[in-house]
Amino acid sequence: MDSIKINKLEIENVKRIKAVKIEPSRDGLTIVGGNNNQGKTSVLDSIAWALGGEKYRPSQAVREGSVIPPNLKVVMSNGLVVERKGKNSSLKVTDPDGNKSGQQLLNEFVEQLALDLPKFMESSGKEKAQTLLKIIGVGDQLSCLETKEKELSSHRRTIGQIADQKKKFADEQAYYPDVPDELVSPSELIRKQQEILARNGENQRKRDRLNEITAGKRRIFDDMNRIDDQIADLQARKDRMKQEYDQAVSDEETAKKTVAELQDESTAELEASIADIEEINRKVRANLDKEKAEDDARQYLEQYASLTKQIEDARQAKKDLLVNADLPLPELSVKDGELVYKGQMWDNMSGSDRLKVSTAIVRKLNPKCGFVLLDKLEQMDMQTLNEFGKWLHQEGLQAIATRVSVGDECSIIIEDGYVKGQEHPAEDVQEAPKTPSWKVGKF
Ligand SMILES: Nc1ncnc2c1ncn2[C@@H]1O[C@H](COP(=O)(O)OP(=O)(O)OP(=O)(O)O)[C@@H](O)[C@H]1O
Ligand SMILES: [Mg+2]
């Protein structure tokens, strides 16, 4: 379906307007020119009121000094006739078959922002970007990606901080290159020590035995001395004892030899080793701690790199989303939630670029709406105006604009509430002239 345009416009006694008839160009720019305070903006206000509904009713709609109430008539390209007249300026919408209709039907093809472009232009950068994203149908996906990217970035920041701390901690740990890789167990050494102690105990018993034998020998010798006195009586006993004595001497020799061969093993080395173990293990534990800390730091670094990759992916997905989207203007995009045109953010765009961007976006908001109202087009120079007109043509868009100028670029000039050159009806007379000379747009 073709988008709907304004074919004809008749306004009487609205604000500054006395009587104005305009037949705007179907496509491109229709410039309503004139000096200040002549009623240019009143023309746009009247259109907004006629098509937009009660909320666009001017605070002082009826022209001061007029005894006749406002009279508005807009003929749309789909044949609808929209009128406001009578004491209450009530709305009357008539379709080509003569059926009556109302505001609801108008709302289907009248884009609110097309009537009130400044409302769009004054919205925040984020709101403008949201509007654009809504139009191209990627708003939800993009905000999803942005949320994801933010979460990933915040997570990565935390991980990065931890990675730094862990690395620092690992670097600060002491390292001992000259100890075994694993903790040393003292139990083996203790077992060896106990074996030696057991053997030494056995030796001690043998020494004790020698001492006992020596003591026995001494007792026998004493007895012999005593028995010497009784030798005669006890000769036989003495002989036996002599044998015993000899035997004892021989035993003593044997025992002496055995004892002479005995050699005690030293446990000093083991004791030293046991003492060392604690120190060694302290170092081994330190080395293990350092390895663990380094491993920790490495893992966080890896996690950081993985998050970086994910953030890049999310950013790329955002770019792809916008690259593949059907944008209303070439070089118009969204970056970091802000509108960007030709690489510039809104606050850095020229006035004419802002108008162009706004018009393009509003045009896409409701494709059924084929017109847009633009106040104060002074900021466009002739070349920009020409280019803008061409672009509007291309888009099949009708723009009704005002401009403080009485130059050739203007389609009509408003002067004291009338269209210059147009026949005036008698003041305060409601009837329109019979043969109007409506001018049409030049762009
Ligand atoms: N109901 C009204 N009756 C008579 N004059 C009115 C009424 N409402 C506003 N005006 C006057 O109309 C003038 C503004 O009209 P309008 O805004 O249409 O002019 P303009 O041509 O757009 O001017 P500018 O070039 O300064 O934007 C003001 O002087 C204002 O006081
Ligand atoms: Mg104005």
Side-chain angles (χ1 to χ4, degrees):
M1 182 191 94
D2 264 359
S3 53
I4 294 165
K5 317 273 173 79
I6 295 170
N7 282 3
K8 272 190 208 172
L9 199 57
E10 298 177 19
I11 311 164
E12 285 170 16
N13 297 317
V14 181
K15 294 188 76 178
R16 180 75 172 89
I17 301 295
K18 290 176 175 167
V20 159
K21 291 189 181 202
I22 304 172
E23 202 170 322
S25 337
R26 186 178 170 76
D27 292 312
L29 260 179
T30 297
I31 298 184
V32 178
N35 290 325
N36 290 128
N37 276 322
Q38 299 304 304
K40 303 180 297 296
T41 303
S42 298
V43 171
L44 300 191
D45 291 348
S46 303
I47 301 172
W49 183 25
L51 301 180
E54 283 307 316
K55 67 168 175 278
Y56 289 93
R57 181 192 283 264
S59 60
Q60 210 194 321
V62 58
R63 181 174 65 80
E64 233 169 79
S66 169
V67 294
I68 298 168
N71 191 3
L72 284 169
K73 184 174 176 189
V74 186
V75 180
M76 307 304 299
S77 60
N78 59 354
L80 277 189
V81 178
V82 184
E83 291 168 291
R84 279 191 184 271
K85 54 187 173 187
K87 206 158 66 99
N88 298 324
S89 310
S90 42
L91 180 72
K92 185 176 158 200
V93 182
T94 317
D95 76 12
D97 302 326
N99 298 318
K100 301 278 175 286
S101 187
Q103 187 64 47
Q104 217 172 334
L105 180 67
L106 298 182
N107 289 348
E108 277 177 32
F109 64 83
V110 175
E111 167 53 44
Q112 300 287 312
L113 288 174
L115 301 176
D116 189 5
L117 203 67
K119 187 172 172 194
F120 173 79
M121 298 177 79
E122 284 156 16
S123 66
S124 73
K126 297 247 181 290
E127 283 166 335
K128 284 192 205 79
Q130 280 310 316
T131 305
L132 175 59
L133 293 171
K134 199 174 84 191
I135 293 168
I136 61 179
V138 301
D140 289 349
Q141 286 162 277
L142 194 80
S143 68
C144 257
L145 282 168
E146 265 167 2
T147 309
K148 189 174 155 202
E149 187 190 331
K150 264 196 210 111
E151 281 169 4
L152 285 168
S153 293
S154 145
H155 187 191
R156 184 178 69 167
R157 194 161 45 251
T158 311
I159 292 296
Q161 283 165 355
I162 297 175
D164 284 349
Q165 285 166 4
K166 296 266 180 190
K167 181 79 186 91
K168 214 171 137 225
F169 177 67
D171 290 344
E172 280 167 359
Q173 301 288 296
Y175 187 76
Y176 306 95
D178 52 355
V179 297
D181 291 340
E182 275 169 25
L183 286 172
V184 179
S185 156
S187 65
E188 177 63 12
L189 293 175
I190 287 169
R191 195 185 57 74
K192 281 187 191 163
Q193 182 202 28
Q194 277 168 352
E195 274 173 17
I196 291 169
L197 287 173
R199 283 199 296 277
N200 290 351
E202 184 63 24
N203 293 346
Q204 190 56 44
R205 268 193 303 283
K206 287 174 182 166
R207 280 188 209 97
D208 290 349
R209 175 84 183 119
L210 168 63
N211 289 338
E212 274 167 29
I213 290 168
T214 305
K217 186 195 83 174
R218 203 174 292 123
R219 272 195 309 277
I220 293 165
F221 186 75
D222 289 350
D223 285 350
M224 274 167 55
N225 283 342
R226 272 196 310 277
I227 287 162
D228 268 351
D229 296 341
Q230 308 159 12
I231 207 116
D233 299 344
L234 296 172
Q235 188 55 51
R237 207 173 151 190
K238 183 193 162 192
D239 291 345
R240 261 198 325 275
M241 277 186 178
K242 176 74 172 74
Q243 275 174 6
E244 282 174 17
Y245 176 74
D246 290 345
Q247 183 58 46
V249 168
S250 146
D251 286 355
E252 184 194 47
E253 274 313 306
T254 311
K256 263 186 186 163
K257 272 183 200 155
T258 309
V259 166
E261 283 164 9
L262 290 178
Q263 211 173 1
D264 283 355
E265 285 175 54
S266 164
T267 62
E269 211 176 307
L270 281 173
E271 272 153 21
S273 291
I274 288 167
D276 276 352
I277 279 176
E278 214 169 312
E279 173 60 8
I280 292 169
N281 282 348
R282 188 187 65 73
K283 292 177 176 178
V284 171
R285 264 184 225 108
N287 286 357
L288 291 173
D289 284 352
K290 187 183 175 78
E291 270 167 35
K292 165 85 174 61
E294 274 171 347
D295 207 45
D296 239 23
R298 201 163 34 248
Q299 272 177 22
Y300 275 96
L301 273 180
E302 278 165 14
Q303 217 177 326
Y304 188 89
S306 148
L307 286 168
T308 302
K309 171 85 174 64
Q310 288 178 53
I311 288 166
E312 278 161 9
D313 287 352
R315 285 187 185 145
Q316 188 58 44
K318 264 167 60 187
K319 267 192 205 141
D320 292 348
L321 208 58
L322 292 171
V323 164
N324 299 327
D326 177 25
L327 287 157
L329 263 188
E331 291 189 82
L332 176 63
S333 189
V334 171
K335 204 179 154 201
D336 300 329
E338 296 272 348
L339 225 54
V340 176
Y341 181 55
K342 292 181 179 163
Q344 302 291 345
M345 306 257 268
W346 183 263
D347 64 342
N348 219 24
M349 288 180 205
S350 73
S352 60
D353 275 351
R354 285 183 190 180
L355 268 174
K356 193 168 167 184
V357 164
S358 307
T359 308
I361 290 174
V362 165
R363 197 269 180 289
K364 291 267 175 167
L365 270 176
N366 183 353
K368 287 187 201 161
C369 183
F371 62 90
V372 59
L373 308 182
L374 302 167
D375 202 16
K376 300 189 185 117
L377 227 54
E378 294 84 69
Q379 49 200 328
M380 285 195 187
D381 59 27
M382 285 307 164
Q383 190 191 334
T384 311
L385 216 50
N386 263 310
E387 282 166 9
F388 187 50
K390 266 188 214 141
W391 177 78
L392 289 166
H393 266 285
Q394 253 174 45
E395 294 288 308
L397 188 57
Q398 175 187 61
I400 303 175
T402 73
R403 179 173 167 95
V404 179
S405 166
V406 291
D408 279 351
E409 77 277 20
C410 301
S411 319
I412 54 162
I413 306 291
I414 301 282
E415 210 174 66
D416 188 24
Y418 291 111
V419 175
K420 191 179 172 191
Q422 212 169 65
E423 274 177 55
H424 297 185
E427 290 248 334
D428 284 346
V429 170
Q430 205 176 342
E431 274 303 300
K434 296 251 157 41
T435 47
S437 57
W438 300 330
K439 284 184 102 177
V440 294
K442 291 175 195 284
F443 289 92

